[in-house]
Amino acid sequence: MSTLREYLVQKREALLRRRAEFESKPAEPFVFGARVTAEGRSGVRRIRIRDYQIISDSPPDFAGYGLGPGSPEIQLGVLGSCITHVFLIQAADREVILDSLEVEVTGQLDQRAGRPGFEHIPVYPHNIRYTVHLKSPASNEVIRQLHEAVERACPILNLLLNPQQIEGSILLNAEPAPDRVAAAD
């Protein structure tokens, strides 16, 4: 059975290959995305990303079937996944030994948000916190530097920390465009 230490060696090799390839011919930014469809009578949201699918659903008390996490939960999971991955990348790049790594993410939603008298409460997940549980023989200083590097490099953490411009549009009675979803990792 492979250990996290062994994986980090593989990750470093892959990182160095990618870096060398990029330096020989820098890649242009690419468009990536997801497509989400509300399913028939159930209202389940099927999220399609490349060849993968994630199901998002509401709990039964909100006309759902509990077949998957809700969007705010998925968002926290995405943040945790990204932080975890960037910890692995940065540890591999810096040759920091990790024996175990787990990221726990929590947030709050308040159902009163936006209602009269509660306009000050955000309608989005807030008070988001993450805790990294890791085991490593590295010093506290090395781990502090690793954490700083992760926070600088994590795209989803920085997406949430920095205001974004998002543009929306509606195509009424139009057929969806063919899939153009590319890989982000």
Side-chain angles (χ1 to χ4, degrees):
M1 187 168 161
S2 182
T3 66
L4 188 54
R5 288 183 185 200
E6 292 166 332
Y7 172 76
L8 288 174
V9 171
Q10 294 171 354
K11 190 66 155 180
R12 180 168 173 73
E13 291 169 1
L15 178 63
L16 294 175
R17 277 192 310 273
R18 271 189 159 197
R19 190 174 288 151
E21 184 178 316
F22 175 77
E23 289 171 1
S24 70
K25 56 174 184 155
E28 293 292 319
F30 63 95
V31 175
F32 64 99
R35 182 170 299 212
V36 182
T37 306
E39 301 286 323
R41 294 178 0 165
S42 70
V44 166
R45 281 83 59 204
R46 185 175 306 273
I47 303 165
R48 291 179 178 87
I49 303 168
R50 292 184 283 137
D51 295 331
Y52 305 98
Q53 294 186 40
I54 302 168
I55 299 295
S56 178
D57 195 9
S58 301
D61 70 347
F62 199 40
Y65 294 90
L67 298 174
S71 300
E73 295 167 305
I74 291 172
Q75 180 60 60
L76 295 185
V78 166
L79 174 59
S81 174
C82 195
I83 290 170
T84 302
H85 190 215
V86 176
F87 255 99
L88 294 171
I89 293 168
Q90 293 297 322
D93 193 27
R94 297 161 182 270
E95 298 184 285
V96 175
I97 295 170
L98 300 180
D99 291 318
S100 69
L101 170 63
E102 181 176 307
V103 176
E104 179 182 0
V105 183
T106 61
Q108 292 180 328
L109 271 178
D110 192 327
Q111 294 180 356
R112 301 171 297 174
R115 291 183 173 195
F118 298 97
E119 295 86 358
H120 64 286
I121 296 175
V123 297
Y124 48 84
H126 56 283
N127 294 332
I128 297 172
R129 301 181 189 287
Y130 73 89
T131 303
V132 179
H133 304 269
L134 64 86
K135 291 183 183 171
S136 172
S139 70
N140 287 340
E141 180 60 19
V142 167
I143 297 301
R144 184 191 64 73
Q145 291 172 0
L146 176 64
H147 186 212
E148 287 177 0
V150 167
E151 288 199 331
R152 277 191 308 274
C154 182
I156 301 302
L157 176 63
N158 284 285
L159 171 75
L160 295 172
L161 289 173
N162 298 293
Q164 301 298 312
Q165 184 173 346
I166 300 174
E167 184 179 311
S169 62
I170 296 177
L171 297 175
L172 184 60
N173 301 319
E175 289 296 317
D179 283 337
R180 296 184 308 265
V181 179
D185 273 336

